[in-house]
Amino acid sequence: MTSQKTRRLFITGVSSGLGRALAEEALADGHHVVGTVRTEKALQAFEALGDRASGVLLDVTDFEAIKPVINRIEADIGPIDILVNNAGYGMEGTVEEASLPEIRRQFDVNVFGAIAVIQAVLPHMRARNSGHILNITSMGGMITMPGLGLYHGTKFALEGISEALGKEVAGFGIHVTAVEPGAFRTDWAGRSMIRVERSLPEYQAVFATLHERRAANNAPQLGDPKRAARAMLDILKAGTPPAHLLLGTDAVELVGEKLLALQAEFQQWKDLSCSTDSQI
């Protein structure tokens, strides 16, 4: 088993964005990183980062391939101490516009792929009575914006799964943290954002302004991926890591506003809510 000082991270989606930043910072700290990529070119580029960088060709929607890949890593490369479910993408489009195949693909990548990797890694972590799982969700797993409803659905799902999973595996010495980034200087709003095929003119007043704002803000976001990576590495050192970790001032402010709004709404309708209790 690797020492506390040097650990092995398995990160899905290390070609770019937060996954790549975390991999680079972990390598700089002396850790070993096994990262998934989807092309041979990306694999070669990742392994060029150094001897402690190992690339794996894997699409997280190839569910049948995931368990054999994890077992091979555990047997041939070494134990996975930290699992980081980072692979995912954004999808623009209103709930009415999106087709069921588009929605299924979004959930396959953002939710079911993460679950499949978790299920493959957990038996090894349980056998060692140690491990930490980081599920990269989003502030969009806590707040919502029109035109991103299905993306939000995947992130809300991963938030709930992460929180429940943390309670299920706590007795095995395994920690689970849902990481909720705000807007960072990655390609999330660019290459990693797709638009559903169908566009209904009735929604343009709701959707167009937000779409244009996201496109315009694809470069100068406040969040620094390197600093996000450092924050994630910091919680790996904590004896009691958080179940939720917001990243970025925007995430802190927007999620904080959402919580206050929820509390106010719950209080406003408290009497009606409580009126449903049985009187017997």
Side-chain angles (χ1 to χ4, degrees):
M1 184 176 181
T2 51
S3 68
Q4 281 295 103
K5 183 178 180 181
T6 303
R7 290 183 280 185
R8 183 168 288 102
L9 287 75
F10 179 75
I11 307 173
T12 62
V14 294
S15 296
S16 61
L18 290 180
R20 183 52 165 257
L22 179 57
E24 291 177 352
E25 291 301 304
L27 290 168
D29 275 5
H31 298 296
H32 297 264
V33 178
V34 182
T36 72
V37 295
R38 291 191 295 168
T39 68
E40 185 65 36
K41 182 179 179 180
L43 186 148
Q44 293 174 5
F46 180 67
E47 293 191 336
L49 295 177
D51 293 340
R52 286 175 281 103
S54 302
V56 176
L57 286 172
L58 180 68
D59 184 330
V60 295
T61 64
D62 187 358
F63 305 127
E64 296 301 318
I66 290 173
K67 186 174 181 180
V69 165
I70 295 299
N71 290 343
R72 187 173 72 248
I73 291 168
E74 287 273 341
D76 299 340
I77 299 178
I80 296 169
D81 303 301
I82 314 295
L83 164 61
V84 183
N85 275 310
N86 168 73
Y89 70 97
M91 184 170 74
E92 285 187 323
T94 64
V95 173
E96 184 179 353
E97 290 172 327
S99 67
L100 286 178
E102 289 172 320
I103 296 168
R104 288 192 183 100
R105 173 66 181 172
Q106 175 85 139
F107 274 81
D108 278 348
V109 175
N110 290 7
V111 181
F112 294 113
I115 294 171
V117 176
I118 289 168
Q119 290 181 334
V121 170
L122 270 180
H124 300 284
M125 288 186 170
R126 283 193 295 102
R128 291 188 289 269
N129 285 303
S130 68
H132 196 158
I133 298 171
L134 302 184
N135 288 325
I136 310 300
T137 65
S138 167
M139 67 176 179
M142 296 279 198
I143 66 167
T144 61
M145 299 178 186
L148 291 173
L150 284 315
Y151 170 77
H152 287 310
T154 66
K155 294 305 183 179
F156 269 68
L158 195 54
E159 284 283 333
I161 291 165
S162 298
E163 191 171 294
L165 176 65
K167 297 172 182 177
E168 293 169 353
V169 300
F172 303 115
I174 301 169
H175 302 290
V176 181
T177 300
V179 180
E180 297 113 357
F184 276 79
R185 296 179 184 183
T186 68
D187 62 0
W188 179 83
R191 184 177 63 86
S192 295
M193 173 70 73
I194 69 166
R195 176 74 169 93
V196 299
E197 290 186 9
R198 186 168 67 146
S199 179
L200 297 176
E202 293 88 345
Y203 286 105
Q204 284 308 300
V206 174
F207 180 73
T209 301
L210 287 169
H211 169 72
E212 291 168 5
R213 187 184 305 163
R214 275 193 294 274
N217 290 337
N218 189 31
Q221 295 98 331
L222 183 63
D224 181 341
K226 183 174 181 178
R227 288 178 178 268
R230 298 309 315 173
M232 286 186 273
L233 289 172
D234 282 347
I235 67 165
L236 297 181
K237 304 170 188 175
T240 307
H244 300 272
L245 179 67
L246 294 169
L247 294 178
T249 303
D250 54 346
V252 171
E253 292 179 351
L254 291 171
V255 174
E257 291 172 3
K258 167 71 175 291
L259 294 175
L260 289 175
L262 278 176
Q263 288 178 330
E265 185 172 73
F266 291 158
Q267 188 63 35
Q268 178 185 354
W269 295 96
K270 179 180 176 181
D271 290 344
L272 182 62
S273 297
C274 294
S275 71
T276 60
D277 291 350
S278 172
Q279 301 303 306
I280 301 175

